[in-house]
Amino acid sequence: MSRIGILSTRSTAQLSANSLLSSLRRTQMQLIKAQNEISTGKAVSKPSDAPAKAASILLLQRRLAEREQHDRNLQHASGVLDNTDNALSNAADLLVESRGIASSQVGIGSNADTRRNQAAVIDAQIKAMMDVGNRKFQDVALFGGSYSPANGGNVFIDKLGGIQYVGQRNNLGTDTGLDDPLSFNSNGVDAFNALSTRVRSLIDLDPQATAATRIADINGAMNAGFRGGSVVVDIDGTAVNVDLTDAATLGDVVTRINNAISGVDATAGSLAISGSGFSLTAAAGHTVAIGEMGAGVAAADLGIKLSATAATVAGGDLDPRLTQYTTLASLGPSIDWNGGLLITQGNTTKVADFSSATTIEDMMSVINGLDIGLRLEVNDDANSLNLVSEISGINVSIGENGGTTAEDLGLRTFAMGTLLSDFRHTQGVDNPAGDDFEIRLHNGTVVTVNLDGAVSVADVISRIQSAATSNATNGGAPVVLNVGAPGAAGTDINIGLATTGNGIVIEDGTAGGQAFRVVQLGQSLAADNLGIYQNAGTGSTINGTDNCPVRVDSIFSHLIALRDALLRDDSSGITVAGGDIERDIERLAQARADVGVRAQRVMKQQERSGDMKLVEQSIISTLQDADPTEVITRFTQLQQQMEAALSVGARNLQMSLLDFLR
């Protein structure tokens, strides 16, 4: 049914005035807005102007601000990479010149005087190469990696007669808008190969689990680490949920699970840390089980998905990783921590004493405290240790200090497992086919040794021992000698490794008037290369020299080796150094190619960023900018509307009852 509309109330003069003023205010506000749009060119100046558009505009403006920072980062990265490329080009030029000097000083036309003169040139090139390696751009070390030299310091410095690299392996990175940070400088390893790599232990130290072992440092029974979650502990049929999500150590796991067991029956059993994992014990008359909660994997990860009835059940191997926090006690009692390492770096010899160390971090501190340019590191597999030399141009030797520490840790540079190919800085041991050397004893006995097929120091020791027991002769008659290790009593001949330092030790236990010595045979240089080509005379011990030290296989080492070979008038050394420098040139080319690839990425990203900036600015303009024609038209209409309202209002407000009574 139809409804009768409500009649308007009577209109008073005051109401008319208020209505007019309200209309004028609205029109005036719209005029001001249009005026602002004309003056600023912006249709949206604040979020309230157009909330939906404002959200998009703010997002795009934030992206533009980020892009501005990315552009600054890209500009800086481009500068660093360009300077790095130029530095690598300069380094390559120095190496090419050095290679030419090495080639010119081998063969006809070279003599001791010319070589001495060229050694001075190489020495100047070493200094020039250091200058290249220490270049910076806007306080960024081009070859310092992630290391930032303090107070304008250098990353290559003189140390112990060599050149030490104090930078890092990893490069500096910056946010350029790509998915991953872009590394924008180089480092002394990629460009100069400035850190040694050979002292890498092959011994898995296999840390055992302890209460202090961090859960973050285990590979887990499923080799997936610990993925968090809760477990269900069942004590004689009573189930208790245990949340292990925020457990920090294995000790935390034990505490929480044992608290759950004790909450039901303190005599029922317990969880304990044993070996490389956990063990669950249930007392007589009780059954304790640990399982997953729902579809969880916490129990499996920790190797405690177990059930025990009046027995002890071992859990899975958690395979704790070796870290700086690993305690030495968890590495087992078989390692000699008291002997220490006898370390010779160049002409400096020091002892690394680990007797007071309690963690791997303490061992690192001991090595750092020696101040001889060595780093102790955990390997990439987190199961053994590496010793890294930072100093190019000098030799480092890691030997025993009367104990077995170096051998136990796998850090001895002259060990039973050392390859003969590693001797003499990878030149190897020269042992052509046939007999290589004789060991002549005081009583006239001769031990003839053949090293054909030998590949390691252990093979050499074994061949000498075998020859002593089967191939020894005296006056042409075969004899069998009593063989032992160095220091053994009542033996004819002892062979082994030095108990202090490095080298092969041979002891003569016979009596007689003959000189105790080692004689090389034919064209073989094996005895000399092994460091045992010696004549002890009336003495009874030949302490072999260490011909298997480690040297950083770097550009600086090879330039120093070339300089020293020129000074020694050593043709063979010059040839070897020249070959090493040839490989350095190839390595520099690879490093320069890597820098070029990254510079290309920077350039492409700069182009892409510029394109994206134009697109984003265009979208913002579309959302925010005012249409001049539309705004001016609207402004004109509003002016006319304002004038009309004022005109009508003026006439209406002047009228009164008297105007109608006339």
Side-chain angles (χ1 to χ4, degrees), residues 513-632:
Q514 300 296 318
F516 174 41
R517 58 184 178 141
V518 174
V519 178
Q520 297 194 129
L521 300 177
Q523 300 299 313
S524 176
L525 300 176
D528 182 55
N529 295 163
L530 290 168
I532 57 174
Y533 182 39
Q534 298 181 27
N535 186 342
T538 60
S540 297
T541 302
I542 290 177
N543 291 305
T545 56
D546 182 1
N547 281 353
C548 195
V550 173
R551 183 182 66 186
V552 179
D553 189 28
S554 72
I555 287 175
F556 292 107
S557 290
H558 302 152
L559 289 174
I560 291 172
L562 176 58
R563 179 197 64 190
D564 294 347
L566 288 167
L567 290 173
R568 292 194 310 269
D569 195 21
D570 179 2
S571 296
S572 176
I574 294 171
T575 301
V576 171
D580 290 336
I581 289 172
E582 181 68 37
R583 289 190 293 275
D584 290 334
I585 293 173
E586 295 175 1
R587 182 184 296 114
L588 272 184
Q590 293 174 353
R592 194 175 179 188
D594 173 68
V595 169
V597 169
R598 286 185 280 145
Q600 186 72 13
R601 289 186 66 194
V602 168
M603 185 180 69
K604 292 292 185 184
Q605 183 63 7
Q606 284 177 315
E607 293 175 356
R608 180 176 179 275
S609 180
D611 293 341
M612 290 300 298
K613 183 186 295 185
L614 289 176
V615 171
E616 290 163 352
Q617 288 173 337
S618 176
I619 295 173
I620 289 177
S621 177
T622 301
L623 294 171
Q624 189 176 26
D625 291 353
D627 181 352
T629 302
E630 185 274 331
V631 174
I632 292 173

Side-chain angles (χ1 to χ4, degrees), residues 440-446 474 508 510-517 535-539:
R440 299 183 179 181
L441 306 181
H442 288 311
N443 65 357
T445 297
V446 176
N474 193 324
D508 182 359
T510 68
Q514 300 296 318
F516 174 41
R517 58 184 178 141
N535 186 342
T538 60

